[in-house]
Amino acid sequence: MKQNRKDFIKTSGLIIAASAAATIPSKSFAKNFIKSRGSKMKLRFKPYTLELKHVFTVAVYSRTTTPVMLTEIEYDGVVGYGEASMPQYLGESQESASAFLSKVNLEQFDDPFKMEEILSYVDSVDKNNTAAKASVDIALHDLVGKLLNQPWYKIWGYDKSKTPYTTFTIGIDTADVVRQKVKEAAEFKILKVKLGKDNDKEMIETIRSVTDVPLTADANQGWKDKHQALDMINWLNDKNVLYVEQPLPKEMIDENAWITENSPLPILGDESIQRISDLIKMKDVYSGVVIKLMKCTGMREANKMISLAKAFNKKIMLGCMTETSCAISAASQLSPMADWADLDGALLIKNDPFEGMKVIDGRVTLNDYPGIGLKS
Ligand code: MG
């Protein structure tokens, strides 16, 4: 655990979810609280701001920071860590997460192993708030894994030798910056390219001027016409692109299905498929799904989505937001079941307070720390 993780415990920013309002307790209160041992689960949370190494631009926005909420669940002296990452365009914020988490009462449960019951309750507290819900889900998984003294990939029976390579994302930028970013990403075996603005071919050709590694493309709903989108996908197919994410706006269901039908490449639904109910609705629209903990309320539902996607014979990409190593390590526990991964979120930030899953030679590499895989 890095120093600023320890500061989490020490700071006065601790907020006790059991209290009716998101108040800030005194340091002595927090200290005594942490020392307490009991059979009730205590949820704590604290806002944190991720600082990005580079300005990040995709089809619909640019940003230099990402707000997150860090959570902890303590039970019988063991602490599980969680996180909600909330890029502004998705509609959640530190304020909304704080309001949601203040309503979550885990003290009513006396057994953290009743995960189905606990997380169904968390989901029922309010609608939406998927990242805030994920922050509780991840912390509970971390706690339970630590109580069992096993990492989740083992509890689930997954094979850590089957983890995929992760893509490294190249945002939309000028040619010089793109070339520089590609050179810095030499460790990665697959690069992910953000498309959907008016310079798509230029982006790809710029990258192809410095590397031959396979690419994946994410249009982020940025294309508007199905024929133009299909022309672009055919062109990308000749440039060693492996798949395309979310070509058209999610509302264009029939047009997205037409593209999938006619595309030489797998077409993955991302913005279209948030939760397991969306996967069922969209099963005939896309050939694959992008699963992210922040969209689907966490590891429990993500694991169910993986099982269902496999039953539907869909490709699975395990993605992320800009996140610390906390949420990234949690997602990586599922990665042996994914066809592809885009788990570079923690590599894009300057101030990661956790140490967890490491990308080694471009590959998601699982450690054997119990829970979600954070070094304590
Ligand atoms: Mg995407």
Side-chain angles (χ1 to χ4, degrees):
M1 185 187 296
K2 293 184 189 174
Q3 189 54 45
N4 39 356
R5 287 297 310 137
K6 290 174 184 159
D7 291 346
F8 183 99
I9 306 290
K10 290 179 191 161
T11 55
S12 58
L14 285 169
I15 305 171
I16 310 304
S19 63
T23 53
I24 298 175
S26 67
K27 281 186 182 176
S28 60
F29 178 85
K31 207 170 168 185
N32 290 335
F33 182 73
I34 298 303
K35 279 183 182 170
S36 71
R37 295 285 187 272
S39 57
K40 299 285 187 194
M41 280 181 284
K42 311 274 189 185
L43 173 65
R44 300 185 285 267
F45 51 94
K46 178 192 160 189
Y48 189 71
T49 300
L50 305 183
E51 294 163 23
L52 276 58
K53 290 176 184 167
H54 296 285
V55 178
F56 192 67
T57 302
V58 301
V60 288
Y61 66 92
S62 292
R63 65 176 196 267
T64 54
T65 61
T66 300
V68 304
M69 189 69 85
L70 300 178
T71 57
E72 299 182 359
I73 300 175
E74 182 173 7
Y75 174 80
D76 206 16
V78 180
V79 178
Y81 297 100
E83 173 184 9
S85 172
M86 298 166 290
Q88 290 88 337
Y89 71 99
L90 291 174
E92 284 185 82
S93 63
Q94 289 170 334
E95 291 72 27
S96 68
S98 179
F100 177 84
L101 294 168
S102 296
K103 289 187 270 186
V104 174
N105 174 18
L106 296 185
E107 297 199 32
Q108 64 186 297
F109 300 100
D110 57 5
D111 182 356
F113 286 87
K114 292 179 180 168
M115 300 180 80
E116 286 288 327
E117 187 182 332
I118 295 165
L119 294 172
S120 293
Y121 154 74
V122 172
D123 196 17
S124 75
V125 167
D126 203 347
K127 58 183 174 17
N128 303 323
N129 291 285
T130 56
K133 289 171 184 176
S135 75
V136 181
D137 169 285
I138 294 167
L140 184 64
H141 278 80
D142 195 36
L143 171 68
V144 168
K146 284 171 174 167
L147 292 169
L148 292 168
N149 200 31
Q150 295 292 339
W152 270 94
Y153 82 85
K154 274 196 184 175
I155 296 168
W156 280 322
Y158 298 155
D159 180 349
K160 78 171 181 181
S161 74
K162 298 212 165 102
T163 52
Y165 289 113
T166 179
T167 48
F168 184 81
T169 302
I170 307 293
I172 296 169
D173 225 314
T174 62
D176 283 347
V177 174
V178 167
R179 272 192 289 271
Q180 186 57 36
K181 283 183 182 173
V182 172
K183 281 178 187 161
E184 287 170 19
E187 177 195 357
F188 296 89
K189 312 296 185 210
I190 311 176
L191 296 177
K192 171 169 171 170
V193 188
K194 292 289 193 179
L195 301 180
K197 285 208 160 179
D198 52 8
N199 63 341
D200 291 345
K201 288 190 177 177
E202 187 189 336
M203 276 287 293
I204 298 290
E205 279 166 350
T206 302
I207 292 168
R208 279 285 168 257
S209 73
V210 279
T211 182
D212 293 327
V213 298
L215 304 177
T216 77
D218 188 353
N220 284 116
Q221 315 183 79
W223 298 331
K224 305 301 177 198
D225 176 90
K226 70 178 184 181
H227 296 285
Q228 285 175 8
L230 187 61
D231 286 347
M232 179 60 73
I233 292 165
N234 281 316
W235 185 83
L236 293 171
N237 187 40
D238 292 332
K239 302 288 177 187
N240 195 15
V241 171
L242 302 178
Y243 60 80
V244 175
E245 284 179 53
Q246 200 64 57
L248 300 174
K250 61 182 179 180
E251 296 78 16
M252 297 174 72
I253 294 171
D254 291 344
E255 292 86 350
N256 276 307
W258 180 86
I259 289 176
T260 300
E261 187 75 27
N262 291 287
S263 168
L265 295 174
I267 304 296
L268 277 50
D270 184 358
E271 286 85 345
S272 290
I273 303 174
Q274 312 274 320
R275 300 197 57 174
I276 199 162
S277 53
D278 303 311
L279 177 56
I280 296 165
K281 281 183 221 148
M282 296 291 139
K283 74 179 171 52
D284 297 325
V285 177
Y286 299 97
S287 38
V289 53
V290 178
I291 297 174
K292 295 176 183 167
L293 301 189
M294 298 302 145
K295 290 193 301 184
C296 75
T297 73
M299 298 166 75
R300 171 174 171 262
E301 186 152 323
N303 196 36
K304 291 179 179 180
M305 288 178 79
I306 285 173
S307 299
L308 188 61
K310 287 196 175 289
F312 287 154
N313 199 26
K314 301 293 174 190
K315 293 286 189 187
I316 296 164
M317 200 278 260
L318 195 56
C320 65
M321 310 297 176
T322 310
E323 296 166 1
T324 74
S325 285
C326 178
I328 294 293
S329 299
S332 70
Q333 300 293 321
L334 294 154
S335 69
M337 298 301 280
D339 296 285
W340 302 293
D342 178 37
L343 293 176
D344 63 349
L347 303 172
L348 304 174
I349 61 173
K350 291 190 278 194
N351 58 339
D352 188 351
F354 294 95
E355 195 175 332
M357 186 278 285
K358 298 237 184 294
V359 175
I360 300 176
D361 291 333
R363 201 164 147 231
V364 175
T365 305
L366 290 166
N367 58 54
D368 278 335
Y369 300 129
I372 61 172
L374 294 177
K375 186 175 181 183
S376 57

